[in-house]
Each structure stands twice: as C-alpha cells, then as structure tokens.
Amino acid sequence: VTCKRKCGCQRTMGLHCVLILCFFSGWAVGYKHGDNVTLYVNKVGPYHNPQETYHYYTLPVCRPEKVHHKSLSLGEVLDGDRMAESLYYIQFRENVEKRTLCQLTLSEKQVDQLREAIEELYYFEFVLDDIPIWGFVGYIEESGFLPHSHKVGLWTHLDFNIEYNGDSVIFANVSVKDVKPVPLEEGAGAAVGGVGVGGGSLTVTHTYSVHWFESPLAHARRAERLRDYSFFPKTLEIHWLSIINSLVLVVLLLGFVIIILMRVLKNDFARYNVEEEGGCDDLDQGDNGWKIIHTDVFRFPPYKSLLCAVLGVGAQFLTLATGIIVMALLGMFNVHRHGAINSAAIVLYALTSCVSGYVSCSFYTQINGQRWVWNIILTSSLFSAPLFLTWSVVNSVHWWSGSTQALPATTVFLLLGAWVLVGFPLTVIGGIVGKNRAGSFQAPCRTRNIPRQIPAQPWYKHTAVHMAIGGFLPFSAISVELYYIFATVWGREHYTLYGILLCVFAILLSVGACISVALTYFLLSGEDYRWWWRSVLSTGSTGLFIFVYSVFYYRNRSSMSGAVQSTEFFGYSLLTALVFSLMLGSVSFWASLAFIRYIYRSLKMD
C-alpha cells in the first residue's frame, strides 16, 4: 500500500501503519490503476428527519451473504453510522457500463416496505474513501386532481461518477439521469414494464455503472468539492448584514450599560464619600441605597452546595465550548472526518471535569461550606444525571424503532467507562485540590449576625422580570447565529464560520456579564442584598429563550416529524438549554461578584 503525503513524498509500509498515519498526519491512501476501491453502504432514513436513520440492509436490497462491518470511531457511532461492505466492485480508474449487481425476487411485503420508504422520501448514504455519497431510494410523482395519479418507482440502476487526481480519489456522487425507475404497484400483482411478476412477488435486477473523471483539485482541497455539492438544499446563506446588525446593536448596548453605570457609580461614590468619617459600622446612619446594606451584601446564600455546583459545571462548559471552537479554528474538524466533533466533545468533557470540581469545591470552602464530599458528588451529577436520563429515553425510542442512532452495548460501556474512570475521578481530584488551595472569601465589609430587613420591592425588580430582561438580551445577541447552528446540528449543513462563531460567543459572554452587573446594581439600590442566586438566574434564563426558539424552529423552520425525530430533538434541546443556563449563570455570577467587591472597596471605610 502506498501512502502519499501532501508534500509529495511517498513511502511504502504496512496497511495498519498507513491507516494510522493517514488519520493523524493528513496522509492520503494512494491507489494504483485497477486497485479495488471499497464502497461501504451506511444508512437510510427519511429526508426531513436527519436523526432518524436505519441501516441500509434493513431494506430489501442487494447484500452479501455475510455482512462485514467497518470499524468505526466513537464519533461515527454516535452520529448513527453503521458502515458495511457492499457488493459494488469498483476499481480505480476502471470504467464500468451497466454491470449486474444482483437479482432479487421481492415478496409483496417487501414491495410494500419499499413503497413506504419511497413515499417517506428515504435517502441512502454510501461512503467511498471517506466521501459520503447520497441518493434517493426511489421516485414518487403526484399529478392531476381529477383524475389523481400517484406513482412510486424504485431506482434499480445507479451511475457512480468519481473524480480523481493522480492516485487519490477527490469526489464521488451517484446519479439516476436517463434511468427509468421500476414502478411499484399496489400489491405487486400485475406485470410491470418487462419486470418479472408472479404470485404476489416482483423480480428486479439491480445494475450499476462507474465513470472516472480527472480533476485538477489537489487531495488536500477535496473537502471544498464536497462543500460545493448540493444533494441537500443549501440553507446556510451568509446574511452578513444581519450579523453586522447584531454586532452593532450589541456594541451599542454594551457601551450604553457601561457608560450609564460608570456615571451613576461616580455620582454614588461622590455622595457617599463626602465628609465620611467613622468605621464600617457607622455608614448606614441616614443613608439609603446600596451603601446601607454593606453589612449584609456578603451574607452567604442558602443552598451553598448547589450554587457552587452550578458555578463549577458552568466553568467546565465554558472551557469545553472554548476548546471546541479553538479546535475548529485550527482546522481539526472537516467534512471527511465523520463525527469528529462528537468525539472531541466527549473527550474534552471528561478531561475538563477537573475544572468543575476545582471551581465548585474551592468556592464552597471559601463560603464556609462543610460537606465538601457531597458537594463533589452533586457537581459531578448536576449535568451527567439529566444527560443520562435524557439519553435513556431517546436511545430507547431509537432502539424500539430499529434506528442506527441507538447506541450498541459496547459504545454504552465505553462512554460509561469514560465517565467512571476519567470524568468522575478528575472531578474528585479537582475538588480536593480546590479545597486545599482555597483561600479566604475576601469580603471588603464584615457581615453582621442579624440580617437587615429588606423593604418591599416594586414589580420591575422581581426575579421574573430580571430573568426576562437578563435572558432576552443575550439571546438577541446570538439569535442570527443560532439559526445556523440549529441548521447544522438538526439539518444537513456543514458549519464552517468558526471565526464568526468565536466572535458571537465572546459577545454572548460580554452581554451576559454586563446585563448581570446592571441588574445586580439595580437590585442593591433597592436595599435588597439577595443577589447571589439572582445573578445566576437573571442571565441563566437565556436557556429558556433558547428552548422556546427550538420549539419555533421545529414548527416553522424544519420539516421534522414523527416520534423518533421529535423525541431526540426536544430531549437534546432541553439539554442544550441547560448547558447555556449553567454556562451563562456562572459567567454572570462572577461578573456580579467582581462588581460588588469593586464598589464596596471603593468606599472610604476604615
């Protein structure tokens, strides 16, 4: 086997070594004239339900006597891939004209199965040299009103068009141009266009052709050729004006909040520090506003362990999201690496568990938490428990329907082992390190033993109002980009605008932090010192808006339907909303804490 690197040098080595080098070093497997190019059949499913997929051989199609499956990566399995060798015999740069693949005698039940699949717009996916090939199983035609005609046909001949450059495959697709489909009549009881029929059965002959075309595109750039191909509709048109508009609005919003807060704080400092004498305990004589609650503002909140767990898991997802975006910017994910993002997300989630343990247990110790073991357990299960419950329901539905999205037992044990042997131990290690390295809380003012009575608050300072404001503004900053992300995750698109995604991600965090600081200031101005949980909930409510948007996307921006697709969509949309709530809640809390420490340190107190 010859392995050719992009720089042009060639080496000959063992097959396993070649495959390892090709995956990790960007080497391309080179073919000689006449070498066998394996075509794998993968999956089929309804066109409008991207996550509802079944193995190709669940349909009555040509299949070998013994099916040999390809070894898949973790990301490919999670993506629903189940590649198996096919009967198609393709040789490098060898054209083939209408070679017989097999002859099948279909029973009436099998014909009905094919009819149902074609009427649901089933498409198939093959893989040739890591290049996906898509096509429809059959043909459906609706015509006329009176009389109404409904025709369903099966494609029994496929034309493979393969592009090559030198000794490597660049691109491949399949077409049915100038091919007449075989009609599938109800009951399969009549003669069909020269195709053998009898006794409720239907005999069809599957054939294929192969045509090779030379391409000037280098192997290193073959991903560009696949991105330009349009079997699925191209919906990710770049609306630069909308993105720029969002950026301008966000910058204006941030500037407005920062300028207003700075002017208000400047006036507050000037008023509070005039002729100020005495200690910290005498500041509340005749004053009102946020200064008067200086002896209560650092009073530790209820449910300390849960609060610290939220902060820890939020910090973990902040690290995870940043890592994924940076890896994408470095070009580690491309259209030929099936499920690469899924694999990277699982590995990073396990490795960043130490971040959640460290942040949670460190802050828990600072606020005088005593049950640090329970805090570590709560931190490790705060997201993993909802994830397991959601996955159990979704996977059960896929298993019941026979979908390839149902994970095999080996993959389930692998993921469970990754959490038990890597994720949870790292959480414990991070928690122990955080507990031992935690310092003091560093509050500028000491807290009195007796809490101050909180005056009645106007309606616009209630928690629900703050959650509505704090959630809507960050959501409006990402609403345009959110459509592209949904179209990628729940559609057929390949997301490539990672630079814009990084900018939008940074803007999201900035808006969340600024809005949280502003809402916290208004809360303290009303002499309400219960800011701890309020700062988490105010911006963390962005997750609720994202889930509402997912419902809108499902009903108005997609054609998804059915129990299988709906269960997966809404189940994982809930998890996505939870991730955003934890991440933004953590960011807003730390921003509010830094702001409060700043304003109380700036007062002239002895």
Side-chain angles (χ1 to χ4, degrees), residues 41 57 61-68 84-87:
V41 297
Y57 286 142
V61 294
C62 299
R63 58 185 296 169
E65 294 182 1
K66 185 178 181 181
V67 178
H68 297 279
E85 295 182 2
S86 67
L87 292 176

Side-chain angles (χ1 to χ4, degrees), residues 79-262:
D79 203 33
D81 291 341
R82 302 293 185 269
M83 300 183 199
E85 295 182 2
S86 67
L87 292 176
Y88 293 97
Y89 183 63
I90 299 177
Q91 295 174 288
F92 188 70
R93 296 177 60 180
E94 291 283 348
N95 292 329
V96 174
E97 293 294 340
K98 204 166 187 180
R99 177 183 290 170
T100 299
L101 184 66
C102 76
Q103 188 176 69
L104 292 177
T105 300
L106 305 175
S107 64
E108 183 175 346
K109 181 179 179 181
Q110 291 175 324
V111 173
D112 292 338
Q113 181 183 1
L114 285 173
R115 282 182 56 87
E116 182 179 356
I118 295 171
E119 288 175 344
E120 293 183 6
L121 297 180
Y122 267 46
Y123 73 98
F124 62 80
E125 179 179 297
F126 297 162
V127 177
L128 178 77
D129 195 47
D130 288 336
I131 301 173
I133 302 174
W134 299 288
F136 285 106
V137 173
Y139 168 82
I140 184 171
E141 179 183 352
E142 301 276 355
S143 62
F145 180 70
L146 288 175
H148 174 70
S149 64
H150 179 75
K151 299 179 181 179
V152 176
L154 174 68
W155 299 118
T156 57
H157 179 82
L158 298 178
D159 283 323
F160 292 94
N161 303 302
I162 308 174
E163 300 176 9
Y164 70 94
N165 186 333
D167 58 358
S168 61
V169 177
I170 303 300
F171 177 73
N173 69 357
V174 66
S175 68
V176 290
K177 185 179 180 180
D178 300 328
V179 177
K180 185 177 180 181
V182 174
L184 298 180
E185 302 293 341
E186 292 280 0
V192 182
V195 182
V197 183
S201 63
L202 173 66
T203 301
V204 295
T205 301
H206 288 271
T207 58
Y208 68 98
S209 301
V210 180
H211 300 96
W212 292 85
F213 303 92
E214 189 171 5
S215 172
L217 200 65
H219 180 273
R221 299 176 54 197
R222 70 174 186 166
E224 301 175 9
R225 181 69 177 86
L226 183 59
R227 283 197 297 265
D228 295 337
Y229 182 60
S230 58
F231 174 75
F232 298 111
K234 295 292 183 180
T235 59
L236 290 191
E237 299 176 0
I238 311 304
H239 303 291
W240 291 106
L241 185 60
S242 300
I243 295 175
I244 294 174
N245 183 52
S246 297
L247 293 178
V248 171
L249 289 177
V250 167
V251 171
L252 291 176
L253 174 64
L254 292 179
F256 175 78
V257 171
I258 293 173
I259 292 175
I260 294 299
L261 276 181
M262 293 303 295

Side-chain angles (χ1 to χ4, degrees), residues 16 83 123-124 126 137 148 162 199 212 216 247 282 308 330 339 385 415 535 549 591 595 599 603:
H16 294 86
M83 300 183 199
Y123 73 98
F124 62 80
F126 297 162
V137 173
H148 174 70
I162 308 174
W212 292 85
L247 293 178
D282 300 325
C308 295
L330 294 177
L415 296 176
S535 63
Y549 177 81
F595 169 75
I599 62 175
L603 289 176

Side-chain angles (χ1 to χ4, degrees), residues 575-589:
L575 286 180
T576 302
L578 176 61
V579 168
F580 273 90
S581 296
L582 293 172
M583 184 170 59
L584 291 176
S586 179
V587 171
S588 63
F589 174 85

Side-chain angles (χ1 to χ4, degrees), residues 446-501:
R446 67 183 179 89
T447 302
R448 287 179 175 174
N449 295 329
I450 301 176
R452 187 184 189 89
Q453 184 177 2
I454 301 174
Q457 301 294 317
W459 65 270
Y460 53 83
K461 289 189 177 182
H462 288 176
T463 303
V465 178
H466 279 200
M467 290 178 63
I469 298 174
F472 175 75
L473 292 177
F475 170 77
S476 63
I478 63 171
S479 58
V480 175
E481 200 68 18
L482 199 62
Y483 168 76
Y484 296 148
I485 296 175
F486 269 68
T488 301
V489 176
W490 301 110
R492 315 287 187 179
E493 301 295 343
H494 297 285
Y495 194 93
T496 57
L497 306 175
Y498 298 114
I500 294 179
L501 182 62

